[in-house]
């Protein structure tokens, strides 16, 4: 695969719409570039768009497209039903009807969270961050997805680890917070013990905003400059790596 297909001049990773077509056509011979663009227009897929208009499809975009095409071909689902199913999957909820052997939900670029798993975010790209911003969960949906009881949910909320937005819903990151808290609770760490994470995150947030806010103001004025979403993704990845390295280093010294 050429470097042009994998990344544009800005360094974002993904493959072109033509490469997507070549990858999927063996399984879906009727697929065309026009159909992929139509599904994007209908809001079922949201590949990253560079300032040049160049589309970049991540692995999660391709998995999502494969799910759509399979649902149309094998289940005869109309687009509205598929869109509703994708919305539930995006919000971390189960989809009625996806119970047969071989059913596969599209990946979101992250590991599954909830239940016995742990919240491990593996896709910190700008496209993944934009997709996550669209996710909204009610408190009941969040508790259902993570297995938190009302008492544990109340404690996490009281200590500022979970926060609803103006519509009373939780964003995608709260799903990760609740999942991680549930895992740590099994080791005896309660919500009150996790306040230091909130304090540390707020300090890191302040540093990131010092960099991002001027970029967003320039973008709002139409001035040239780097895409704030790309910078945010790089900052998040780097700060997370630094945090992990510092904690891991401290633990290693204890051995």
């Amino acid at each position: 695969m050429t470097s042009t297909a994998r990344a544009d001049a800005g360094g974002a990773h993904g493959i072109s719409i033509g490469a997507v077509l070549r990858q999927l056509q063996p399984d879906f011979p009727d697929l065309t570039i026009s159909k992929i663009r139509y599904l994007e227009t209908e809001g079922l897929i949201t590949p990253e768009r560079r300032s040049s208009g160049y589309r970049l499809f991540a692995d999660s975009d391709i998995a999502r497209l494969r799910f759509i095409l399979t649902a149309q071909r094998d289940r005869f689902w109309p687009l509205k039903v598929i869109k509703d199913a994708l919305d539930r999957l995006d919000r971390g909820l189960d989809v009625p009807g996806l119970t047969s052997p071989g059913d596969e939900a599209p990946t979101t670029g992250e590991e599954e969270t909830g239940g016995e798993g742990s919240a491990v975010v593996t896709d910190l790209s700008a496209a993944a961050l934009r997709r996550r911003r669209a996710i909204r969960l009610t408190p009941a949906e969040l508790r259902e997805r993570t297995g938190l009881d009302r008492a544990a949910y109340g404690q996490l909320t009281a200590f500022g680890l979970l926060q609803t937005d103006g519509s009373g819903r939780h964003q995608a990151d709260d799903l990760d917070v609740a999942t991680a808290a549930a895992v740590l609770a099994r080791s005896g760490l309660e919500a009150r013990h996790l306040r230091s994470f909130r304090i540390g995150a707020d300090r890191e947030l302040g540093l990131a905003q010092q960099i991002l806010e001027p970029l967003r103001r320039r973008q709002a004025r139409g001035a040239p400059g780097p895409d704030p979403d790309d910078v945010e993704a790089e900052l998040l990845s780097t700060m997370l790596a630094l945090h992990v390295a510092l904690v891991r280093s401290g633990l290693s010294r204890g051995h």
Side-chain angles (χ1 to χ4, degrees):
M1 185 176 296
T2 67
S3 58
T4 303
R6 288 299 309 169
D8 71 351
H13 294 286
I15 65 174
S16 68
I17 191 170
V20 171
L21 184 65
R22 290 191 294 273
Q23 186 176 138
L24 294 180
Q25 261 192 336
D27 294 326
F28 306 96
D30 295 333
L31 183 63
T32 63
I33 286 180
S34 295
K35 181 168 183 177
I36 296 174
R37 288 173 176 164
Y38 172 73
L39 292 172
E40 180 185 3
T41 301
E42 291 296 305
L44 278 83
I45 55 174
T46 54
E48 185 172 357
R49 284 289 196 114
R50 312 306 297 152
S51 57
S52 62
Y54 185 84
R55 293 177 179 82
L56 290 173
F57 290 79
D59 289 344
S60 56
D61 296 316
I62 299 169
R64 192 178 183 90
L65 184 54
R66 184 179 292 277
F67 175 83
I68 294 167
L69 297 171
T70 301
Q72 287 182 316
R73 182 192 64 192
D74 299 346
R75 295 180 174 273
F76 307 103
W77 283 2
L79 287 185
K80 183 181 185 306
V81 173
I82 296 173
K83 186 176 292 187
D84 290 343
L86 289 170
D87 176 67
R88 288 186 63 84
L89 290 169
D90 287 341
R91 296 193 293 135
L93 303 174
D94 294 331
V95 177
L98 289 187
T99 56
S100 303
D103 279 337
E104 184 176 350
T107 60
T108 61
E110 303 157 20
E111 298 294 331
E112 278 295 315
T113 59
E116 297 299 315
S118 58
V120 182
V121 179
T122 59
D123 188 349
L124 298 176
S125 67
L129 294 176
R130 281 193 286 267
R131 285 194 297 271
R132 288 172 64 85
R133 290 175 193 150
I135 297 173
R136 295 291 185 273
L137 294 170
T138 66
E141 289 171 339
L142 182 71
R143 292 196 302 271
E144 174 191 348
R145 185 68 182 87
T146 60
L148 286 177
D149 58 30
R150 287 183 177 273
Y153 172 83
Q155 290 173 359
L156 291 170
T157 302
F159 285 108
L161 293 158
L162 295 177
Q163 300 175 356
T164 55
D165 60 19
S167 67
R169 294 176 180 266
H170 291 282
Q171 297 183 10
D173 292 324
D174 278 355
L175 178 62
D176 296 334
V177 170
T179 301
V183 173
L184 292 173
R186 296 201 291 270
S187 298
L189 295 179
E190 301 175 1
R192 60 190 175 89
H193 299 130
L194 306 181
R195 293 182 65 186
S196 60
F197 287 90
R198 175 76 272 169
I199 295 170
D202 286 341
R203 289 173 178 167
E204 293 171 7
L205 174 62
L207 293 174
Q209 286 178 331
Q210 290 179 29
I211 299 171
L212 293 172
E213 288 305 316
L215 294 178
R216 298 197 189 283
R217 286 196 295 269
R218 283 202 291 270
Q219 184 185 57
R221 296 195 305 267
D227 186 335
D229 285 346
D230 289 338
V231 176
E232 179 182 342
E234 182 180 13
L235 278 174
L236 181 59
S237 178
T238 305
M239 294 171 79
L240 180 61
L242 175 61
H243 179 83
V244 170
L246 289 171
V247 174
R248 185 168 52 207
S249 174
L251 291 173
S252 297
R253 292 191 187 98
H255 289 300

